[in-house]
């Protein structure tokens, strides 16, 4: 059996580790990160060339099933996967970590987009910890606030005029996140609703510090795709057949 994992997440890497040795597994990465942490098993890097390219890859490599374990905000590849799997007549499973849920003491402002997140800053703070990744910085380019931008690779312009860059990748610790908020005198955090444990400590640190959090809601997902919430659940489903 040959499983294609559309990856780029901590959970995708964990899933590849669980399946490796049991079935043939190929992880696909988009190639956005210069030096990605590679999963076990085979790895291919780069776009497929849209739905048609993905259909071709599935057929040409005798793929028996596809698992969409991409990031909840990687909208295009998830829709491409749904269309390609249907066309190629292979089963598709989505590994999608649940979204975060506010807890007592949280001051969350829920917004539908990065642009709305930028507008929401008007009333919230002056020193922003921006953790939405380096790809969407243009939405904040005209903002007057000071931004601490955390990303895996250095971001490109356009970006806000007053920006500090912090190159790092999760998982992050609560102590580390507390330290960042204090050292940079952060008064508002901006995040996508990525879910998962690896980047959740910033939410706890913000709650403790009484800092508001602008949370960008998730984009839509393709209808009718079965979902597993954890790598273990996805692996069990695959190995059950
Ligand atoms: P996207 O907008 O959904 O996809 C754009 C294009 O990138 C797709 O059409 C596809 O190109 C290619 N692509 C995306 N994921 C791929 C994969 N796993 N393997 C091969 N090609 C892929 O995706 P994105 O938001 O740019 O994210 C790119 C990757 O980074 C994803 O794999 C995702 O898991 C990871 N990631 C994204 C975020 C985020 O916030 N968006 C955060 C962390 C990690 P073709 O049409 O040519 O096939």
């Amino acid at each position: 059996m040959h499983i294609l994992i559309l990856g780029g997440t901590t959970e995708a890497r964990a899933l590849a580790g669980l399946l490796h040795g049991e079935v043939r597994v190929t992880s696909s990465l988009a190639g956005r990160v210069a030096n990605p942490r590679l999963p076990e098993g085979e790895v291919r890097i780069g776009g497929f060339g849209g739905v048609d390219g993905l259909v071709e890859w599935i057929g040409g490599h005798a793929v028996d099933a596809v698992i969409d374990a991409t990031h909840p905000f990687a909208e295009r590849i998830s829709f491409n996967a749904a269309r390609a799997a249907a066309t190629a007549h292979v089963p598709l499973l989505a590994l999608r970590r649940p979204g975060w849920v506010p807890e007592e003491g949280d001051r969350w402002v829920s917004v539908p987009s990065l642009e709305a997140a930028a507008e929401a800053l008007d009333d919230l703070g002056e020193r922003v910890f921006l953790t939405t990744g380096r790809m969407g910085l243009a939405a904040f380019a005209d903002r007057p606030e000071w931004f601490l931008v955390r990303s895996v690779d250095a971001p490109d312009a356009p970006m806000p005029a007053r920006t500090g860059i912090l190159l790092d990748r999760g998982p992050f610790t609560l102590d580390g996140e507390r330290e960042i908020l204090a050292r940079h005198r952060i008064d508002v955090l901006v995040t996508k609703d990525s879910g998962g444990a690896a980047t959740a400590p910033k939410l706890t640190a913000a709650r403790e510090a009484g800092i508001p959090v602008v949370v960008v809601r998730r984009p839509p997902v393709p209808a009718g795709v079965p979902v597993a919430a954890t790598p273990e659940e996805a692996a069990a489903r695959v190995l059950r057949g």
Side-chain angles (χ1 to χ4, degrees):
M1 183 156 54
H2 185 194
I3 304 294
L4 173 63
I5 300 176
L6 303 171
T9 58
T10 309
E11 288 77 6
R13 218 171 46 245
L15 176 61
L18 292 170
L19 292 178
H20 179 61
E22 305 284 341
V23 295
R24 179 179 171 202
V25 53
T26 301
S27 294
S28 175
L29 307 177
R32 298 277 191 280
V33 173
N35 219 341
R37 281 189 189 138
L38 294 178
E40 291 180 71
E42 297 167 48
V43 176
R44 66 162 301 286
I45 297 182
F48 295 95
V51 175
D52 292 347
L54 184 49
V55 171
E56 210 171 290
W57 205 95
I58 290 169
H61 294 79
V63 169
D64 297 295
V66 178
I67 303 181
D68 172 16
T70 58
H71 191 270
F73 282 79
E75 188 179 356
R76 179 132 48 102
I77 188 70
S78 292
F79 278 86
N80 285 0
R83 286 176 58 198
T87 306
H89 302 292
V90 295
L92 171 67
L93 175 67
L95 168 53
R96 215 168 279 135
R97 51 201 186 199
W100 288 317
V101 179
E103 292 181 20
E104 170 122 27
D106 277 326
R107 296 173 57 200
W108 286 12
V109 178
S110 173
V111 295
S113 65
L114 290 174
E115 290 70 23
E119 278 173 31
L121 293 175
D122 277 345
D123 310 316
L124 292 177
E126 288 298 322
R127 297 181 63 83
V128 185
F129 187 19
L130 186 59
T131 63
T132 48
R134 73 191 166 99
M135 305 303 275
L137 287 187
F140 300 88
D142 296 331
R143 297 298 310 185
E145 295 85 5
W146 180 82
F147 288 83
L148 179 64
V149 172
R150 180 164 65 191
S151 58
V152 177
D153 291 320
D156 302 316
M159 66 175 93
R162 301 168 58 226
T163 296
I165 310 281
L166 183 59
L167 296 183
D168 204 356
R169 70 174 119 200
F172 300 107
T173 65
L174 180 54
D175 277 349
E177 302 296 51
R178 283 177 180 139
E179 205 264 328
I180 287 172
L181 297 189
R183 177 155 44 99
H184 297 281
R185 291 175 285 117
I186 298 296
D187 53 17
V188 55
L189 166 69
V190 181
T191 180
K192 293 173 176 172
D193 179 14
S194 300
T199 58
K202 63 188 170 188
L203 302 173
T204 308
R207 183 185 315 129
E208 288 176 357
I211 290 173
V213 183
V214 180
V215 182
V216 182
R217 292 194 289 275
R218 293 180 173 198
V221 293
V225 179
V227 177
T230 63
E232 291 72 20
E233 187 189 338
R237 285 213 205 181
V238 167
L239 297 175
R240 240 185 1 239

